[in-house]
Amino acid sequence: MMQNWLAWAKQIQAISQTGKAYTKDDYDMERYEQLQDLSYKMIASLAEQPVEKVANLFINEHGYPTPKVDLRAGVIKDNKILLVRERTDNCWSLPGGWADVNEAPSAGIIREVLEESGYHVSNPRLIALKDRALHPYQPVSIQHIYKLFFLCDFIGGEAKINIEVSDIDFFPLDNLPELSIGRVLNEDIRLLFDCHQNPTKSLYID
């Protein structure tokens, strides 16, 4: 039920943002701003966070609202998959991050793997496009997120920790560490292994 209420609050926020972008009427603008404030209060209550903190998450959002794009890489070598330990929660994830403006997703995922692990990869192939809200990632996000999963060929390099990552290693499917389930699920890694072993498998898409 909480997820339903959060989805409705997010939809109200999106409607208010769209209305503010396109209305020419001052009275309608005032109504859309009231809807926006209401959505912030609803989200803040559900998340048990201050209203100001929620509002700050949307402060730079203007125009028609669209989902954010999260890129994740599956790099499999010797039947083990590359994972990085996130400093924020001390759990493990596929290397990746937000897609950048003016950068193709295929270029972005190659960059993310290098930045987060120190390894060079090539030939990214999209194997899944998932709507985060339709899967059990935790915690629930107030943003609407599309997750793009790529299989990449390992080239080489040297593992290098950084300000975001405290450890880097390769793991077999049957011995995965504790995952950062806001970023990656066990089912995502299983899908990557499946596509690695079955290159003709169809793209998964929500």
Side-chain angles (χ1 to χ4, degrees):
M1 182 58 70
M2 177 181 172
Q3 276 193 293
N4 288 339
W5 279 103
L6 182 58
W8 296 331
K10 288 160 64 176
Q11 188 170 1
I12 292 172
Q13 191 281 325
I15 291 170
S16 67
Q17 183 176 317
T18 303
K20 288 176 65 177
Y22 294 107
T23 188
K24 305 296 183 184
D25 186 277
D26 289 341
Y27 292 104
D28 283 344
M29 177 65 76
E30 184 177 347
R31 295 185 184 98
Y32 287 127
E33 288 177 346
Q34 290 174 346
L35 277 177
Q36 183 181 66
D37 290 342
L38 178 61
S39 72
Y40 291 166
K41 290 175 182 176
M42 292 172 66
I43 294 170
S45 177
L46 290 166
E48 298 182 347
Q49 296 291 330
V51 175
E52 294 77 12
K53 184 175 181 179
V54 171
N56 286 337
L57 293 174
F58 293 100
I59 198 166
N60 293 318
E61 297 287 335
H62 303 285
Y64 192 88
T66 59
K68 294 178 70 66
V69 179
D70 177 34
L71 310 176
R72 294 290 156 180
V75 183
I76 298 175
K77 180 173 72 78
D78 299 329
N79 209 33
K80 296 181 179 180
I81 194 162
L82 174 64
L83 297 177
V84 296
R85 192 198 294 265
E86 301 283 350
R87 292 187 185 274
T88 54
D89 60 9
N90 205 35
C91 295
W92 296 78
S93 176
L94 298 168
W98 297 123
D100 279 357
V101 174
N102 293 327
E103 183 178 56
S106 56
I109 198 60
I110 290 172
R111 172 186 53 77
E112 285 285 352
V113 174
L114 180 61
E115 289 179 354
E116 292 205 343
S117 72
Y119 290 120
H120 295 273
V121 296
S122 66
N123 191 30
R125 288 93 67 199
L126 182 66
I127 60 100
L129 194 163
K130 302 177 73 174
D131 184 334
R132 188 185 188 279
L134 300 180
H135 301 272
Y137 299 96
Q138 293 295 328
V140 175
S141 176
I142 66 170
Q143 297 170 318
H144 195 171
I145 298 169
Y146 286 168
K147 296 180 70 66
L148 277 60
F149 292 88
F150 294 85
L151 268 177
C152 303
D153 294 339
F154 179 82
I155 296 177
E158 182 179 343
K160 296 179 181 178
I161 62 173
N162 51 72
I163 60 172
E164 295 181 352
V165 169
S166 63
D167 202 358
I168 302 156
D169 208 344
F170 286 84
F171 296 88
L173 180 58
D174 61 359
N175 191 29
L176 296 175
E178 183 178 1
L179 298 177
S180 178
I181 59 173
R183 299 175 175 88
V184 62
L185 301 174
N186 186 282
E187 66 186 48
D188 300 327
I189 295 177
R190 289 187 178 277
L191 179 61
L192 287 162
F193 271 99
D194 190 13
C195 291
H196 178 69
Q197 294 164 0
N198 302 281
T200 60
K201 187 177 178 67
S202 298
L203 170 72
Y204 174 92
I205 184 167
D206 284 327

